[in-house]
Amino acid sequence: MNEQTTPEDVVVKPPVTPQSLVPVFEALDSGLDIDRLLRGITFREAGLDSLDIFNLVLAVENAAGIKIPDEDLGQLQDLPSLASYLDRRLS
Amino acid sequence: MTDSALRPCYELVTLFKGGRTYVHSTDLLASLECEAGRRLGAEAWVGHLTIRRQATREVEAWFEPRADAFGAFRLQGPIGTLRGWLTESPRPITRRVPYDEDALLASVRFEGDAAVLPGAVVGFTRFEQMVTLWKALATRQVPGPWTLAQVDLDGPLPPAGPLEVQYPRTIDGRLKLGVLSRTGAVLGTCRAILADAIVARGRHR
């Protein structure tokens, strides 16, 4: 029995880098290999399913204080592209 | 605690409801709530349930990670939390119980962007009422085979009184974040996904 950081506890501020998004993934407790994500493997290649993607989008929106439009989702295929996108939106 | 409460695995759901050919989330929630009470006390509840694909055989709950898990849960109570994983056993489900969801749906009201049950509906558990509300509203907004992939509850469901659900966030037309409330107080959330949108994966959670 233990307590852990939840996605609601994480805050993302610029400059956003792939490394700065690691706490978001850790808080999701998804069991993903974050080192592989940092090397640029796509979310799908890493094994994320629709529920994972859903939770990731919600966690990132909450942490960054923004809403990601549906038309932008296609750009967010991996951790580096997600970091670049958030950096543009928040800067 | 009893000896059975200390087992790492126990049989969870062994029946189908109505005409369904898969294990219903309401039965998982009800069975897990019983286990929460046994392990964490009478005030315990199911704080989290994830279902990544439908189960069609008898379900087992484990309190240790399982590579073949199709779902996961967290039991919460005054003395702490317990994480668990759901697997299918090799045993087929052979029992079936009657279930008339239409009788429950007849009590659902749609008010603006919300679905409401004015009060508890006799003959249905609160889990059944909650899940029916969420599915009814999702289907009304976007027709299709919606499934609840994740449920998070802030506490035990109140046994009486109104229930209201809304979907404040929809992503890509097929992922919905739902909120359950009672007279303005949030009770929990859900992630509803069009059933053909979720892709199960092989690693454990």
Side-chain angles (χ1 to χ4, degrees):
Chain A
M1 298 183 189
N2 55 21
E3 298 296 328
Q4 66 176 55
T5 302
T6 68
E8 289 75 24
D9 299 327
V10 180
V11 176
V12 172
K13 294 178 179 176
V16 184
T17 65
Q19 192 66 44
S20 71
L21 293 177
V22 168
V24 177
F25 286 86
E26 289 176 340
L28 284 172
D29 193 26
S30 60
L32 290 168
D33 185 338
I34 296 175
D35 286 339
R36 293 179 71 209
L37 288 174
L38 287 169
R39 289 197 295 271
I41 188 174
T42 68
F43 295 134
R44 290 292 182 190
E45 288 171 338
L48 275 75
D49 62 19
S50 296
L51 180 59
D52 293 316
I53 298 290
F54 192 3
N55 281 324
L56 175 59
V57 170
L58 293 174
V60 165
E61 288 185 339
N62 182 72
I66 62 170
K67 189 165 282 188
I68 299 174
D70 289 350
E71 54 269 29
D72 290 353
L73 293 174
Q75 305 173 33
L76 314 177
Q77 299 294 325
D78 52 42
L79 185 48
S81 65
L82 175 61
S84 298
Y85 173 83
L86 292 174
D87 196 53
R88 284 197 307 275
R89 288 285 308 271
L90 296 176
S91 296
Chain B
M1 290 187 178
T2 64
D3 287 345
S4 61
L6 298 174
R7 286 183 303 167
C9 163
Y10 69 101
E11 200 171 73
L12 195 64
V13 176
T14 60
L15 53 81
F16 286 134
K17 186 175 272 178
R20 291 185 175 87
T21 56
Y22 59 90
V23 176
H24 202 229
S25 59
T26 57
D27 292 324
L28 293 172
L29 285 163
S31 297
L32 288 169
E33 187 173 70
C34 289
E35 196 62 19
R38 287 204 310 149
R39 292 178 182 253
L40 297 175
E43 297 173 15
W45 74 96
V46 185
H48 171 86
L49 173 65
T50 297
I51 304 171
R52 293 187 177 272
R53 61 174 172 77
Q54 292 179 341
T56 58
R57 300 191 301 272
E58 291 187 4
V59 175
E60 294 174 335
W62 297 79
F63 290 91
E64 55 194 29
R66 294 280 300 186
D68 55 344
F70 72 87
F73 59 91
R74 186 176 63 247
L75 309 181
Q76 294 184 213
I79 61 172
T81 64
L82 284 171
R83 292 183 68 182
W85 289 261
L86 301 172
T87 62
E88 284 185 282
S89 84
R91 298 180 297 279
I93 292 176
T94 56
R95 289 196 302 147
R96 186 176 292 278
V97 295
Y99 186 68
D100 180 13
E101 191 175 40
D102 289 345
L104 181 52
L105 282 168
S107 298
V108 175
R109 294 182 190 168
F110 296 101
E111 300 176 358
D113 58 357
V116 179
L117 277 174
V121 182
V122 175
F124 296 91
T125 69
R126 287 300 251 181
F127 290 131
E128 290 166 344
Q129 295 168 41
M130 172 186 74
V131 169
T132 294
L133 270 177
W134 265 325
K135 287 195 174 182
L137 183 59
T139 304
R140 182 180 175 89
Q141 293 177 346
V142 181
W146 288 94
T147 186
L148 293 188
Q150 183 175 323
V151 175
D152 293 275
L153 296 173
D154 297 338
L157 288 180
L163 291 177
E164 176 177 326
V165 300
Q166 290 180 293
Y167 286 108
R169 182 80 171 101
T170 298
I171 296 174
D172 209 17
R174 62 197 180 94
L175 310 169
K176 284 181 173 289
L177 171 65
V179 174
L180 173 74
S181 60
R182 180 189 180 208
T183 58
V186 173
L187 303 174
T189 61
C190 82
R191 269 71 160 161
I193 296 180
L194 271 177
D196 57 357
I198 193 164
V199 179
R201 57 189 184 182
R203 61 185 174 75
H204 82 74
R205 309 285 301 165

